[in-house]
Amino acid sequence: MSPTDQNSQASDLSTTPHTSVDADNESTTHFGYKTIEKDDKISMVAGVFHSVAKQYDVMNDLMSFGIHRLWKRFTIDASGVRPGNKVLDLAGGTGDLTAKFSKLVGREGKVILADINSSMLNVGRDKLRDKGLVQNIEYVQANAEYLPFEENTFDIVTIAFGLRNVTDKDKALRSIYSVLKPGGRLLVLEFSKPEHELLNKAYDFYSFNILPKMGELVAKDGESYQYLAESIRMHPDQETLKDMMEKAGFEQTSFKNLTGGVVALHKGYKF
Amino acid sequence: MKPSNNQADTQLSKQLSNQLSTQFGTKLSDSLLLPQVATATLELIINKALSLNNKSLSFATVAQKTLMLELAELSFPLCFTVDNTSSPVVIIVRSTIECSDCSIKTSVSTLKKLKANQSLTQLIKQDELDVSGDIKIAQQFANIAQSLEIDWQTELAKHLGDVPTHKLLQFGNKITKSLLATGKQLEADISEYLVHEKRLVVTSSQINAFNQQTKDAASKVDSLSARIDKLVANIAGKQ
């Protein structure tokens, strides 16, 4: 498919409501706008992140004009993290949240940076070690659907810009629920659906016309950023994700739209 | 039966989450992420100041402790946490309601009074300052802030060069001295006026009383004059 074809398809589908949880058929799922076999998604997403890992932070700053730092700050503020807490930063990538959590939980606490992608995990580990953050951080390569931790282990679990890449989101939410301690909380920071139509259109134009070109120029990988734009559109909208969290067992779920709903922070408790 | 620790934790979490549901409301400052912009800027400034400090500071007593400041002028709280897990020690600034070991509710004007050594207890009695939690933490944070010693001349010289820095600081000192002298003169003039001259100045009630007395005297003079005229007329009639 030529880039033009992809763009026209993107424009058609960009108006699709963000309510698709997973593909209709149980054995298939989405990879951006493509419907693929579930078994293939992990390796295809892995391919994207192996490709962008080294330029990930630079691209985040460029694409969001640095606002991703404020979204992450908001997540930390909403987490209510305390000294001594045990935190799981799932799909933690290059460790922005882990770095902050590590300082806040102190020597008595612990932060686990988990990511399914080894390249992202390596970049994150190198970055945090270069910052001198070594005392209370552990690194685990893990699939969010099958978390390799005991039940009732964590006070806080965060997943920032990672849930949309997970093949079976419901399974991942159930897995997160089980590793949270009673009283623990999950924070999901993820791209979502803008609240205003005008902003939605501008955002669509930016995502499908500018973002892939930026990716091509800086990370030499336009396709991965095309996937990024498509995966955002296929991700469940605010209310759907809230419902999914409730179905997984979370209580007192709420969400907060940031930057007009471009990003939303969902929060739920395990009691 | 006493609730178990787990039940108590769960109840506490429920209470906190209720509070947070309110925080998760749709405040404009939240949508624009203003608290996060403010805390990021403050964090940068504070840690830069700490890195420029020449005096050794002790953070041992406030390690991993958090001070929350709720200013009347701001719609969001500011939390300052000392992180000693890495070297050098850094202060993390957040905007959250569930974090503090000590919290202070006050205004910027009251903070200025505190700096001017006005009694802490007096301000608390006047309801200008509300402190809850461990007050020692607030005092230790204040001590650290007051102990900061930064050699601005050396730092500035690194960026501007020696000669421009020297000239700039000379000019700055001159302006500061002149402003201080003007301030002192103004203070002396005002205090002299208040102590000596204010006593001599006629009050408005005194002016009113004087005006009344003048009016009374004028009416008495008028009636006396009328009486004299009447007497003169009587005498002239008899002759």
Side-chain angles (χ1 to χ4, degrees):
Chain A
M1 190 187 281
S2 72
T4 324
D5 293 338
Q6 282 185 337
N7 284 346
S8 64
Q9 186 195 23
S11 302
D12 294 342
L13 287 169
S14 60
T15 51
T16 308
H18 298 215
T19 49
S20 169
V21 176
D22 279 305
D24 297 335
N25 190 321
E26 276 191 4
S27 66
T28 60
T29 188
H30 295 294
F31 178 75
Y33 287 155
K34 292 175 198 151
T35 300
I36 56 165
E37 288 297 313
K38 270 187 175 175
D39 293 343
D40 296 337
K41 180 154 178 174
I42 291 177
S43 61
M44 289 174 85
V45 172
V48 169
F49 283 93
H50 282 308
S51 163
V52 301
K54 284 188 179 162
Q55 299 291 335
Y56 189 78
D57 284 339
V58 180
M59 279 303 291
N60 272 353
D61 277 332
L62 267 176
M63 288 185 308
S64 71
F65 311 106
I67 301 173
H68 74 101
R69 293 170 189 272
L70 298 177
W71 295 330
K72 287 170 184 166
R73 234 172 210 283
F74 187 90
T75 308
I76 300 276
D77 288 351
S79 72
V81 63
R82 289 165 181 272
N85 275 173
K86 204 163 180 189
V87 180
L88 172 64
D89 180 13
L90 201 51
T94 54
D96 286 345
L97 287 178
T98 298
K100 210 72 170 177
F101 276 130
S102 156
K103 291 169 192 282
L104 290 165
V105 299
R107 291 172 207 269
E108 306 298 317
K110 180 145 277 180
V111 186
I112 313 279
L113 170 55
D115 203 299
I116 194 169
N117 190 283
S118 60
S119 299
M120 293 294 286
L121 209 54
N122 286 339
V123 172
R125 183 168 46 203
D126 289 349
K127 188 171 106 180
L128 297 182
R129 284 184 177 170
D130 286 349
K131 282 183 176 178
L133 299 169
V134 288
Q135 289 198 10
N136 53 9
I137 303 175
E138 281 178 18
Y139 301 87
V140 175
Q141 188 172 1
N143 183 339
E145 293 166 31
Y146 308 97
L147 290 172
F149 307 104
E150 281 183 26
E151 283 185 8
N152 308 327
T153 303
F154 298 100
D155 299 287
I156 296 166
V157 176
T158 59
I159 178 163
F161 305 112
L163 190 64
R164 71 174 189 285
N165 298 313
V166 175
T167 309
D168 190 337
K169 295 172 186 67
D170 292 310
K171 197 185 265 183
L173 288 171
R174 286 196 298 272
S175 178
I176 292 168
Y177 185 85
S178 106
V179 299
L180 265 175
K181 286 179 188 172
R185 61 201 72 178
L186 163 69
L187 293 115
V188 182
L189 181 67
E190 190 54 89
F191 291 106
S192 208
K193 186 171 164 56
E195 294 167 288
H196 305 289
E197 202 41 48
L198 202 65
L199 177 62
N200 206 8
K201 280 185 179 155
Y203 182 48
D204 274 347
F205 178 81
Y206 173 74
S207 304
F208 290 104
N209 296 287
I210 299 172
L211 214 96
K213 287 194 178 91
M214 232 186 239
E216 186 62 57
L217 269 172
V218 180
K220 311 282 176 223
D221 184 359
E223 269 181 35
S224 291
Y225 289 90
Q226 178 74 28
Y227 161 73
L228 170 75
E230 291 177 9
S231 66
I232 290 169
R233 298 311 183 281
M234 297 309 290
H235 185 66
D237 67 10
Q238 288 88 330
E239 287 297 342
T240 313
L241 181 55
K242 188 171 173 280
D243 289 345
M244 287 166 69
M245 285 171 69
E246 280 165 6
K247 270 181 201 154
F250 289 96
E251 293 180 54
Q252 296 195 7
T253 52
S254 57
F255 66 84
K256 168 85 185 153
N257 284 327
L258 306 175
T259 320
V262 168
V263 161
L265 178 66
H266 282 73
K267 186 169 181 174
Y269 290 82
K270 174 180 176 178
F271 290 124
Chain B
M1 198 174 87
K2 271 179 82 177
S4 68
N5 280 348
N6 268 353
Q7 280 176 319
D9 284 351
T10 309
Q11 273 182 344
L12 182 69
S13 295
K14 276 188 176 173
Q15 281 171 1
L16 288 173
S17 72
N18 281 337
Q19 285 178 326
L20 266 181
S21 306
T22 319
Q23 194 195 33
F24 256 50
T26 48
K27 271 162 57 181
L28 184 68
S29 63
D30 278 356
S31 299
L32 296 174
L33 297 164
L34 291 183
Q36 283 66 40
V37 173
T39 52
T41 312
L42 257 178
E43 193 174 288
L44 193 75
I45 293 168
I46 291 171
N47 289 312
K48 187 70 191 168
L50 284 178
S51 72
L52 297 177
N53 172 52
N54 294 320
K55 207 171 171 183
S56 92
L57 300 171
S58 170
F59 290 96
T61 48
V62 281
Q64 299 305 134
K65 300 286 182 204
T66 300
L67 172 73
M68 178 162 79
L69 194 59
E70 282 184 272
L71 293 173
E73 292 83 356
L74 282 181
S75 61
F76 51 86
L78 295 169
C79 289
F80 303 87
T81 307
V82 175
D83 162 46
N84 68 336
T85 53
S86 56
S87 184
V89 169
V90 290
I91 291 183
I92 298 166
V93 187
R94 288 179 290 157
S95 178
T96 174
I97 54 164
E98 47 174 329
C99 64
S100 66
D101 297 291
C102 173
S103 75
I104 298 177
K105 222 177 210 176
T106 187
S107 63
V108 174
S109 57
T110 311
L111 282 182
K112 279 182 193 164
K113 285 181 197 170
L114 261 180
K115 212 183 164 193
N117 290 330
Q118 191 161 341
S119 164
L120 190 75
T121 42
Q122 198 184 336
L123 290 170
I124 293 171
K125 274 183 191 168
Q126 288 166 357
D127 282 338
E128 289 190 51
L129 193 71
D130 182 11
V131 184
S132 57
D134 188 354
I135 198 164
K136 278 182 190 165
I137 290 171
Q139 285 167 337
Q140 279 151 358
F141 268 91
N143 287 344
I144 290 168
Q146 281 166 358
S147 312
L148 278 176
E149 199 178 270
I150 299 167
D151 184 355
W152 291 112
Q153 194 162 357
T154 311
E155 293 305 324
L156 210 58
K158 283 180 194 167
H159 303 283
L160 301 179
D162 289 342
V163 176
T165 302
H166 178 68
K167 292 280 177 200
L168 191 72
L169 287 180
Q170 221 173 21
F171 177 70
N173 282 339
K174 217 183 249 180
I175 295 281
T176 313
K177 269 183 193 167
S178 138
L179 283 175
L180 282 175
T182 312
K184 268 186 184 170
Q185 187 58 48
L186 205 66
E187 200 178 329
D189 289 348
I190 290 169
S191 60
E192 193 178 312
Y193 164 77
L194 290 173
V195 173
H196 301 295
E197 292 182 20
K198 197 167 183 268
R199 285 188 202 162
L200 304 175
V201 174
V202 180
T203 63
S204 62
S205 62
Q206 283 172 320
I207 289 174
N208 289 339
F210 174 76
N211 287 341
Q212 192 57 46
Q213 282 168 2
T214 310
K215 269 184 198 169
D216 292 348
S219 70
K220 275 180 189 171
V221 168
D222 287 345
S223 64
L224 195 63
S225 168
R227 229 174 124 190
I228 289 168
D229 288 346
K230 206 175 172 184
L231 282 172
V232 169
N234 284 344
I235 293 166
K238 281 180 184 174
Q239 282 176 350

